[in-house]
Amino acid sequence: MELSVFYAPDILPDSQTYTMNEDTSKYCIQVLRHETGDQVGLADGKGHKFTATITDDNRKRCMVSITAMETIPAVSPSRSIAIAFTKNAGRIEWFLEKATEIGIETIIPLVSHRSEKDKIKPERLNSILVSAMLQSQQFYLPVLEAPQSFEHIIKTNKTAQRFIAHCLPEQKQSLVEAIKPGEDAIILIGPEGDFTAAEIQMALQAGYIPVTLGNTRLRTETAGMVAVTLMASTLNK
Amino acid sequence: MELSVFYAPDILPDSQTYTMNEDTSKYCIQVLRHETGDQVGLADGKGHKFTATITDDNRKRCMVSITAMETIPAVSPSRSIAIAFTKNAGRIEWFLEKATEIGIETIIPLVSHRSEKDKIKPERLNSILVSAMLQSQQFYLPVLEAPQSFEHIIKTNKTAQRFIAHCLPEQKQSLVEAIKPGEDAIILIGPEGDFTAAEIQMALQAGYIPVTLGNTRLRTETAGMVAVTLMASTLNK
């Protein structure tokens, strides 16, 4: 049977013992009904996978003794996405869950001219990332950055391959054709009303490659998910 | 400005006039506040795109006069997915919306040994497909078939390229490597507990190609959405 893996954000790579926080203890002991002596897994979200034995099945402060630690190699090249957050919080939360499952390193909430939302709830969103990381059996937690303006991203981001997906009827390649395996990549996904022509111009001047994600008109969160899927399937060939 | 497009399932390619049903009339006249004289679009879900002028802005029986009809070519090759429906209805509804947006021709609810659900609500699910088709500016409604048993699909489906995605640690190619552009394709996606070893064996004997959808463990609805994305990006090259 597969080991239940719990999130342990403050464990150190050389820790010998660890005490789960109250929420995790409750989930481990009350919900999953683990007991002293059971073997469990722990993930710090930074690439370390721990195997441990429960030494005290306290439902508020579950204690474990670490028996093994393994370092999981990071995915390379790195994949980043800067995406306009939708007014409907459910849609962007869904995107965060799916992007994490499929595999993404960095997510930047993008504030552009037509963005509908420029505030986020980092705690709630991070808990979605943690659940999706554990669910999909990964050991690196995606980084959810603070919201950044379009202009700031264009001026400061130096990722090797930079893409912008937009809907204007201009010359564009498909992302799959444009992307080169083996190099770090970032893609910008605009709000429901798309990027403005001025924003697209600014990105092109900064070396961004304009791309399309297919032949249909996609919602913002769908475009984000398609971009993450295509980056995952092409970058690590 | 883009034309508002409404669903007209019972319009004929040579219709000269059309009366919207009560729900659509209400949405067109009360919600979007269209009036007599406005130009609107109609889609029959079978590849016909109509342009029309409102002749009676009745909020229960909105009447239009057709001014133009265009036949949109079908996507070729065809893409089908047979997917185990999740216990959580919201997750599969989300899948149906996203698969339609990205582009899929046929969806078959798959009843396998470990399936959690073998009943569906066709009316509710079809309305999700219609909304997603209109939203993504497409003119073909995906076909949602009645649930079929795994064995029935394996024995009767004769699609040129047949794939099965599973999680057992056996020899598998990635879907992107295995798929050939230009040929119709179907992929089978199993339930949360995966297909059984016997089911996988039965599929392989029937010529199904075993594939993986990436390096992470995906939920059923995520696997479905990734499969639809990868089929769309590879089949029509």
Side-chain angles (χ1 to χ4, degrees):
Chain A
M1 209 194 116
E2 274 166 12
L3 224 52
S4 310
V5 179
F6 301 93
Y7 184 47
D10 49 352
I11 196 170
L12 298 174
D14 59 356
S15 291
Q16 301 295 308
T17 61
Y18 182 71
T19 305
M20 295 181 189
N21 69 24
E22 192 165 336
D23 284 351
T24 306
S25 297
K26 190 176 168 186
Y27 182 60
C28 176
I29 304 303
Q30 268 192 278
V31 179
L32 298 183
R33 298 183 173 273
H34 279 298
E35 308 179 327
T36 297
D38 282 2
Q39 207 173 58
V40 295
L42 297 174
D44 64 358
K46 303 174 194 87
H48 301 108
K49 175 185 181 177
F50 302 84
T51 310
T53 306
I54 297 178
T55 52
D56 180 2
D57 55 11
N58 188 299
R59 62 181 64 186
K60 290 191 175 175
R61 295 176 301 104
C62 173
M63 290 175 65
V64 303
S65 165
I66 314 295
T67 54
M69 194 281 282
E70 188 185 342
T71 303
I72 310 291
V75 172
S76 168
S78 79
R79 289 113 66 160
S80 304
I81 189 166
I83 183 167
F85 273 32
T86 55
K87 199 157 51 177
N88 179 325
R91 293 192 172 269
I92 209 71
E93 290 178 2
W94 166 86
F95 163 75
L96 293 173
E97 176 183 304
K98 296 314 173 198
T100 304
E101 276 186 67
I102 296 161
I104 187 79
E105 192 172 3
T106 307
I107 300 160
I108 308 170
L110 181 160
V111 182
S112 68
H113 187 70
R114 299 197 184 117
S115 287
E116 301 172 295
K117 196 157 189 164
D118 56 6
K119 292 204 171 45
I120 65 168
K121 294 180 182 162
E123 268 192 34
R124 174 173 169 84
L125 300 183
N126 258 308
S127 77
I128 292 170
L129 301 182
V130 168
S131 297
M133 173 188 74
L134 297 174
Q135 160 78 31
S136 56
Q137 305 182 350
Q138 297 180 88
F139 291 88
Y140 285 89
L141 187 67
V143 175
L144 176 63
E145 299 205 351
Q148 295 179 19
S149 74
F150 182 86
E151 203 172 342
H152 178 81
I153 295 171
I154 296 290
K155 289 197 172 152
T156 61
N157 196 290
K158 300 294 177 207
T159 306
Q161 303 189 79
R162 302 186 296 282
F163 301 100
I164 180 167
H166 70 79
C167 304
L168 287 189
E170 290 175 9
Q171 184 116 33
K172 287 174 285 187
Q173 288 176 279
S174 76
L175 174 61
V176 171
E177 283 163 8
I179 205 164
K180 283 178 289 199
E183 280 187 11
D184 293 349
I186 185 171
I187 188 164
L188 313 188
I189 305 289
E192 291 297 331
D194 205 357
F195 293 115
T196 64
E199 285 170 337
I200 295 167
Q201 204 47 45
M202 190 193 299
L204 300 192
Q205 280 169 4
Y208 279 72
I209 300 166
V211 291
T212 163
L213 299 169
N215 299 319
T216 61
R217 174 71 65 100
L218 302 175
R219 282 177 181 277
T220 294
E221 77 278 8
T222 317
M225 193 279 316
V226 167
V228 170
T229 301
L230 296 178
M231 287 198 288
S233 81
T234 52
L235 282 179
N236 303 101
K237 268 186 182 160
Chain B
M1 209 195 116
E2 274 167 12
L3 225 51
S4 310
V5 179
F6 301 93
Y7 184 47
D10 48 355
I11 197 171
L12 299 174
D14 59 356
S15 292
Q16 300 297 309
T17 61
Y18 182 72
T19 304
M20 296 180 187
N21 70 24
E22 192 166 335
D23 284 353
T24 307
S25 298
K26 188 175 169 185
Y27 182 60
C28 176
I29 305 302
Q30 267 193 278
V31 179
L32 298 184
R33 299 185 175 270
H34 279 299
E35 309 178 328
T36 296
D38 282 3
Q39 206 174 58
V40 295
L42 297 173
D44 65 357
K46 304 173 194 87
H48 301 108
K49 175 183 180 178
F50 302 83
T51 310
T53 306
I54 298 179
T55 52
D56 179 3
D57 56 9
N58 188 299
R59 62 181 63 185
K60 289 192 173 174
R61 295 176 303 106
C62 173
M63 290 174 66
V64 303
S65 165
I66 313 297
T67 53
M69 195 281 283
E70 187 185 343
T71 303
I72 310 289
V75 172
S76 169
S78 80
R79 289 110 69 157
S80 305
I81 189 166
I83 183 168
F85 273 33
T86 54
K87 199 158 49 178
N88 178 324
R91 292 191 172 269
I92 209 71
E93 291 178 4
W94 166 85
F95 163 75
L96 293 174
E97 176 181 305
K98 297 315 174 197
T100 303
E101 274 185 69
I102 296 160
I104 186 78
E105 192 173 2
T106 307
I107 300 161
I108 307 170
L110 181 160
V111 182
S112 69
H113 187 70
R114 297 196 186 119
S115 286
E116 299 171 298
K117 196 155 189 167
D118 56 7
K119 291 202 172 47
I120 65 166
K121 294 181 183 162
E123 269 192 34
R124 176 174 168 83
L125 300 183
N126 258 308
S127 77
I128 292 168
L129 301 182
V130 168
S131 298
M133 173 189 73
L134 297 174
Q135 160 78 32
S136 57
Q137 304 181 351
Q138 297 180 88
F139 291 88
Y140 285 88
L141 187 67
V143 175
L144 176 63
E145 299 204 351
Q148 296 179 19
S149 74
F150 182 86
E151 203 174 339
H152 178 81
I153 296 172
I154 296 291
K155 288 196 172 153
T156 62
N157 197 289
K158 302 293 179 207
T159 305
Q161 303 191 77
R162 302 187 297 281
F163 301 100
I164 181 168
H166 70 79
C167 304
L168 288 189
E170 290 174 10
Q171 184 115 34
K172 285 174 286 187
Q173 288 176 280
S174 77
L175 174 60
V176 172
E177 284 163 8
I179 205 164
K180 283 178 289 202
E183 281 186 11
D184 294 349
I186 186 172
I187 188 164
L188 313 187
I189 305 290
E192 291 298 329
D194 205 357
F195 293 115
T196 64
E199 285 170 336
I200 295 167
Q201 202 50 43
M202 190 194 298
L204 300 192
Q205 280 169 3
Y208 279 71
I209 300 166
V211 291
T212 163
L213 299 169
N215 299 319
T216 59
R217 174 72 65 100
L218 302 175
R219 283 178 180 276
T220 293
E221 77 278 7
T222 318
M225 193 277 316
V226 166
V228 170
T229 301
L230 297 178
M231 286 198 289
S233 81
T234 52
L235 281 181
N236 304 100
K237 267 187 184 160

